[in-house]
Amino acid sequence: FATQLLEGWNAQVDVAENGSIAVAMVKQESYDLILMDLQMPVMDGYTATRKIREYNQTIPIIALTASATSNVKSKVLEAGMQDYVTKPFNPDDFFLRLKKYLN
């Protein structure tokens, strides 16, 4: 759903099947923003973010999660992400959240 929205807003979107692939992609390409799923096979979003932060401190990383607990929020920030969006999300709110980090 997020990919469809982004492409509808004329964003160029790359998708990583797991956290390990995401880390490799960020090493090879320049991105304006990363939407990080927290639960992925091979390497979860928390670990992938920590690895990305070892060599890239500036790219905004926003977690996508089905959980809105305060524990998730603190873990997301601790891992090095700037923000999180809970699923399901309102497309207008999602757009505004992304815009905040892309300006």
Side-chain angles (χ1 to χ4, degrees):
F1 179 62
T3 301
Q4 291 173 335
L5 282 175
L6 292 165
E7 289 174 344
W9 296 328
N10 296 316
Q12 181 181 346
V13 178
D14 290 337
V15 177
E17 298 300 318
N18 62 57
S20 182
I21 292 171
V23 171
M25 289 170 67
V26 175
K27 282 184 179 178
Q28 295 174 358
E29 294 288 331
S30 176
Y31 294 97
D32 295 321
L33 183 131
I34 297 171
L35 293 173
M36 185 69 74
D37 194 349
L38 296 180
Q39 305 215 338
M40 295 181 285
V42 181
M43 181 186 296
D44 67 30
Y46 299 110
T47 305
T49 297
R50 286 186 190 98
K51 290 193 175 291
I52 290 168
R53 289 297 182 225
E54 290 174 6
Y55 59 88
N56 188 321
Q57 296 292 317
T58 59
I59 188 169
I61 302 176
I62 300 173
L64 289 176
T65 178
S67 176
T69 67
S70 60
N71 183 39
V72 168
K73 181 180 180 180
S74 64
K75 285 177 67 176
V76 160
L77 298 175
E78 183 180 297
M81 296 178 226
Q82 279 70 29
D83 209 337
Y84 70 102
V85 174
T86 55
K87 300 181 274 188
F89 53 81
N90 175 300
D92 293 332
D93 294 340
F94 182 59
F95 181 81
L96 291 174
R97 185 76 53 96
L98 298 181
K99 188 176 174 184
K100 173 182 174 182
Y101 293 99
L102 291 171
N103 281 342

